[in-house]
Amino acid sequence: MTNKKSMMYLAISNLFLVFLGAGLVIPVMPMLKEDMHLSGSTMGLMISVFAVLQLIVSPIAGSLSDKVGRKLIIAIGMLIFAISELIFGLGQVVSWLYVSRGLGGIAAALIMPSVTAYVADVTTFDERPKAMGLVSAAISGGFIIGPGAGGFLAHFGMRVPFFAAAFLAFVGFVMTMLILKEPEKQLVHGQVAEKGSVMDILKDPIFTFPFVVILISSFGLQSFESIYSIMATVNFSFSTSEIAAIITVSGVLALICQLVFFDGIIKRIGEVGLIRVSFFASAIFVGVIAFTDSKWVVVLSTFVVFLAFDLLRPGITTYLSKHAGDRQGTVNGLNSTFTSFGNILGPMASGILFDINHFYPYYVSAIVLLLTSFLSLMWKKELPEK
């Protein structure tokens, strides 16, 4: 078991390196925009290219990891991510930046479902919640540490954070190839069998409803998250440093909960119970933000909303992994696909609504999340007996 745990930590460390690398470049993106005279639409399109490629490749990558193994797909993903960041660091024309972001989306599609599937392969049902909490903590930790480290590295040159991200990803690639061992898959009663196509999984009642919830919820979450900084500035006059502090504290709270409390919460109320609570909490407090004039109420509500989001994601992933059996890669790939759909549509809708009325994104997000909350009450809670 010790060896399995060390392999699991190594697989999760790849996610941490990827999101640390992604966080490194956040502080320099505005500088790069100004230096290369890029328009807002160009920057938005680069984000869209990433999301669209991730959307397309995720189910394919997940299925491939079931067929050829987790290790190979993770390694390829890390190498592609390294190349992506290197190209972005070297790129002097917009077309190469698009190529870089497209490769980044492919890398994310390869890495995230495969790492999640790897963790599911090497853990039992009882160990699964804690392990998925670690997966989410690796993502949160990378995003928390990355921007600060990126700001420091930027003093040595605007492109240095991109090269640092490429180096970290290449280290992950080498470690994966040399050290990581392919996990043994064990099927538990009540999970899906190895045979079956993507369409078979989509038609399975065990997965159909969760995927619908994932799509609707990711739309609602991204409608709020994607434009939060702008809305906080325009609607409540928060400064850039205040927004950074709010997001950082929210991230630290989420990291602590994912590492310390997530396993206990799942054991007490279950994945579906946590999903329901997270939906209702996020819906209520997004609504509170929409109607309050107090900056402190906004701050406290933001902490609750972001914490609910960060517990919701591993809750859904844990639920899916417990039912996926030998199709962990495919199921987690579909999880990424439906999440990506919402991630693409949510910011688009939020931006359009914001132009009409600065508070409309709050209203729509709260309504969508509340409707999903009631929808989640129809979700079958019990897991088949082992």
Side-chain angles (χ1 to χ4, degrees):
M1 179 55 69
T2 302
N3 186 54
K4 282 187 176 182
K5 284 187 176 180
S6 64
M7 291 298 104
M8 180 185 74
Y9 293 143
L10 178 56
I12 293 175
S13 71
N14 282 304
L15 269 185
F16 175 74
L17 290 176
V18 167
F19 282 92
L20 177 64
L24 285 175
V25 307
I26 290 174
V28 300
M29 291 301 283
M31 299 165 57
L32 184 71
K33 176 181 181 296
E34 183 177 345
D35 182 70
M36 294 186 65
H37 307 291
L38 304 176
S39 67
S41 59
T42 298
M43 301 297 289
L45 186 56
M46 282 193 287
I47 296 174
S48 297
V49 168
F50 183 102
V52 170
L53 266 295
Q54 184 179 10
L55 168 69
I56 295 171
V57 176
S58 286
I60 302 171
S63 182
L64 277 176
S65 78
D66 286 332
K67 295 176 181 177
V68 304
R70 319 296 186 205
K71 174 178 177 175
L72 178 60
I73 301 301
I74 294 171
I76 293 173
M78 296 301 291
L79 182 59
I80 292 176
F81 183 73
I83 294 171
S84 165
E85 293 301 314
L86 181 62
I87 291 174
F88 209 99
L90 295 173
Q92 298 296 327
V93 294
V94 174
S95 58
W96 278 107
L97 301 186
Y98 288 148
V99 170
S100 169
R101 292 300 84 199
L103 289 174
I106 293 172
L110 292 168
I111 296 166
M112 293 189 65
S114 297
V115 169
T116 306
Y118 189 104
V119 171
D121 286 340
V122 298
T123 54
T124 64
F125 272 13
D126 290 337
E127 298 167 337
R128 195 73 49 83
K130 184 176 181 179
M132 292 304 169
L134 288 174
V135 169
S136 293
I139 297 171
S140 300
F143 266 133
I144 292 170
I145 298 172
F152 171 76
L153 290 172
H155 290 295
F156 301 98
M158 184 177 62
R159 305 270 179 163
V160 171
F162 296 98
F163 298 137
F167 174 75
L168 289 174
F170 187 73
V171 169
F173 163 72
V174 173
M175 291 174 63
T176 299
M177 290 301 297
L178 296 181
I179 303 175
L180 195 67
K181 296 180 181 178
E182 188 67 29
E184 295 180 4
K185 304 173 188 176
Q186 295 183 349
L187 197 63
V188 180
H189 175 70
Q191 297 176 315
V192 299
E194 182 177 1
K195 62 181 181 179
S197 64
V198 169
M199 288 305 301
D200 292 330
I201 293 175
L202 291 175
K203 293 176 182 177
D204 192 322
I206 292 177
F207 299 110
T208 303
F209 188 78
F211 286 145
V212 171
V213 171
I214 289 168
L215 174 60
I216 299 173
S217 64
S218 61
F219 173 86
L221 302 184
Q222 281 302 307
S223 295
F224 176 83
E225 281 187 335
S226 63
I227 205 167
Y228 176 79
S229 296
I230 297 174
M231 291 192 296
T233 301
V234 174
N235 296 345
F236 301 104
S237 302
F238 283 105
S239 67
T240 302
S241 58
E242 287 174 333
I243 293 171
I246 292 170
I247 293 175
T248 300
V249 172
S250 297
V252 171
L253 288 174
L255 181 63
I256 293 172
C257 287
Q258 289 162 349
L259 287 173
V260 180
F261 301 114
F262 182 76
D263 184 40
I265 293 172
I266 293 298
K267 288 180 179 178
R268 182 174 293 272
I269 63 175
E271 294 87 6
V272 177
L274 175 58
I275 291 166
R276 290 169 178 166
V277 171
S278 298
F279 273 134
F280 276 109
S282 59
I284 290 169
F285 283 93
V286 169
V288 168
I289 293 173
F291 290 100
T292 186
D293 293 324
S294 169
K295 293 180 72 171
W296 278 109
V297 172
V298 173
V299 171
L300 294 175
S301 297
T302 299
F303 290 160
V304 175
V305 171
F306 279 129
L307 179 59
F309 290 173
D310 288 325
L311 291 177
L312 175 65
R313 293 183 181 108
I316 292 175
T317 302
T318 303
Y319 173 89
L320 292 174
S321 72
K322 285 185 175 182
H323 291 80
D326 241 6
R327 304 289 287 178
Q328 294 288 343
T330 305
V331 170
N332 281 291
L334 289 169
N335 183 2
S336 293
T337 296
F338 283 99
T339 301
S340 296
F341 262 123
N343 290 348
I344 293 170
L345 298 175
M348 291 172 57
S350 190
I352 294 170
L353 290 167
F354 185 80
D355 288 339
I356 300 172
N357 184 293
H358 292 172
F359 284 91
Y360 278 5
Y362 291 129
Y363 300 151
V364 171
S365 181
I367 290 171
V368 169
L369 291 169
L370 187 61
L371 290 175
T372 315
S373 302
F374 288 111
L375 192 62
S376 70
L377 296 177
M378 300 167 56
W379 193 333
K380 184 179 179 181
K381 188 170 182 178
E382 298 301 324
L383 183 71
E385 293 296 325
K386 304 178 189 177

